[in-house]
Amino acid sequence: MKLSSIVFNDSNRVRSGWRATIFVISCFSFIFAAIIAVLPIFSALGVQLDEGTTAVYAVQFSITTAAALFFGWLWGKWFEDLPFRALGAWFTGGWFRDLVIGLGFGAVSLCLAAAIVAVSGGLTFEFNRVSAGSAIGATLLNTLLVFILGAAFEESFFRGYMMQTFFRARYAVFAIIFTSVFFATTHNANPGANPLSWFNTFLAGVWLAVAYAKTRNLWFPFGIHLAWNWIQGSVLGITVSGLEKLAPDPLMRAAVSGPEWLSGGSYGIEGGVACTVALLISTLAIAFAPFLKPTEEMAAFTAPSAD
């Protein structure tokens, strides 16, 4: 075997594994440098970016989303001669329809998980009568922005170029498993994370990857991701992936009283078996939904090619 064949395929194109690696390294390098650069600027302006607040998440997710989209476009163009729209993040045909359907799937899936726990008596809800209406409104709006940016980053990074370049190289199953493991592992540093929360986040990665595979754009998984997080934290008042400060004044307050293996305990519903069941049902529903399919344009952009 020639040494060059490890890097280049028979078409003299850089292999998918190297393309994905270069994308990840580029993103992390840029994000690290950008965050170091902007922190003194905010400090000089008197803006406090306290850990775990909506402000710091908004800044971080803005930088990370920009990096994922920019390098996704750059390396897609450089290595595979693809336009930006191939990422599935542009206003291509059917984008709004897929976004709305994604929001519906995310909302229903989250409510299913919450209902499973509630029916068992492990989770109760009541309207937030402690916080002022203005505080609740601020939480709903501020967290909507944060969850939009957070979902945009995670979808453009995990289900963006890194996964898509493996899809085009005929490694779809590997792409889904690899990016889902990566996705789950990055959440391990969250407060209260445990093996079940890792497994559920892995399943969520598969769920969102299947959503991408069905439409070949990022709008559908983005809608799912956004609705799941926002309704969970800002509407129902359930902790999102162990991050308790994200939604300080939600519309409703959730009280956990059942076993943690079912409800997720302090980590939130994503740390319990109810979430596992909901994700499996929703993934199967998406996989077999006949009305979900890519446009001809997006199918062509993601058609299998050489490794």
Side-chain angles (χ1 to χ4, degrees):
M1 177 185 292
K2 294 182 179 179
L3 183 61
S4 60
S5 66
I6 298 175
V7 179
F8 299 98
N9 58 27
D10 294 338
S11 302
N12 203 33
R13 174 173 289 173
V14 174
R15 292 187 181 277
S16 56
W18 293 108
R19 298 195 299 262
T21 301
I22 291 170
F23 167 76
V24 172
I25 292 174
S26 299
C27 285
F28 283 158
S29 299
F30 175 85
I31 291 167
F32 179 74
I35 289 177
I36 289 178
V38 301
L39 287 178
I41 297 174
F42 280 98
S43 179
L45 294 173
V47 178
Q48 297 296 321
L49 295 178
D50 297 326
E51 184 178 356
T53 60
T54 55
V56 74
Y57 283 123
V59 171
Q60 289 177 350
F61 288 145
S62 295
I63 293 171
T64 53
T65 300
L69 291 175
F70 173 75
F71 288 111
W73 162 77
L74 178 65
W75 300 128
K77 181 67 176 176
W78 185 275
F79 292 129
E80 301 177 72
D81 196 27
L82 294 169
F84 177 80
R85 59 198 296 113
L87 280 173
W90 191 242
F91 305 108
T92 51
W95 74 271
F96 186 72
R97 171 183 175 272
D98 289 337
L99 171 61
V100 171
I101 295 174
L103 291 170
F105 262 99
V108 171
S109 301
L110 185 280
C111 290
L112 173 61
I116 292 172
V117 185
V119 167
S120 73
L123 195 60
T124 57
F125 300 95
E126 63 177 16
F127 282 101
N128 184 356
R129 295 184 176 85
V130 177
S131 303
S134 58
I136 294 173
T139 288
L140 290 171
L141 291 176
N142 291 340
T143 55
L144 179 60
L145 172 62
V146 170
F147 287 133
I148 285 173
L149 292 171
F153 161 60
E154 293 189 336
E155 295 315 307
S156 58
F157 182 78
F158 293 103
R159 266 67 65 179
Y161 185 74
M162 175 170 54
M163 188 178 79
Q164 294 169 20
T165 197
F166 283 124
F167 264 68
R168 285 187 289 272
R170 305 174 190 270
Y171 299 135
V173 174
F174 169 79
I176 291 173
I177 294 174
F178 171 72
T179 56
S180 298
V181 168
F182 196 175
F183 180 61
T185 303
T186 59
H187 288 73
N188 262 359
N190 289 13
N194 55 57
L196 183 53
S197 70
W198 183 95
F199 180 70
N200 279 341
T201 310
F202 168 79
L203 283 183
V206 174
W207 178 44
L208 294 165
V210 170
Y212 166 79
K214 288 288 288 189
T215 60
R216 299 305 169 101
N217 69 50
L218 295 176
W219 292 104
F220 183 42
F222 166 76
I224 292 173
H225 201 148
L226 169 59
W228 174 281
N229 283 344
W230 189 68
I231 292 175
Q232 179 180 194
S234 306
V235 177
L236 298 184
I238 301 171
T239 302
V240 180
S241 301
L243 304 175
E244 296 181 353
K245 295 182 181 180
L246 266 178
D249 299 288
L251 180 64
M252 304 183 75
R253 296 284 186 181
V256 180
S257 58
E260 289 193 6
W261 62 265
L262 178 64
S263 67
S266 63
Y267 189 81
I269 208 162
E270 294 160 357
V273 171
C275 177
T276 311
V277 174
L279 289 176
L280 289 172
I281 292 173
S282 187
T283 301
L284 290 172
I286 290 171
F288 292 102
F291 55 86
L292 293 172
K293 54 186 177 181
T295 62
E296 291 184 4
E297 180 186 33
M298 295 313 297
F301 281 141
T302 55
S305 60
D307 176 11

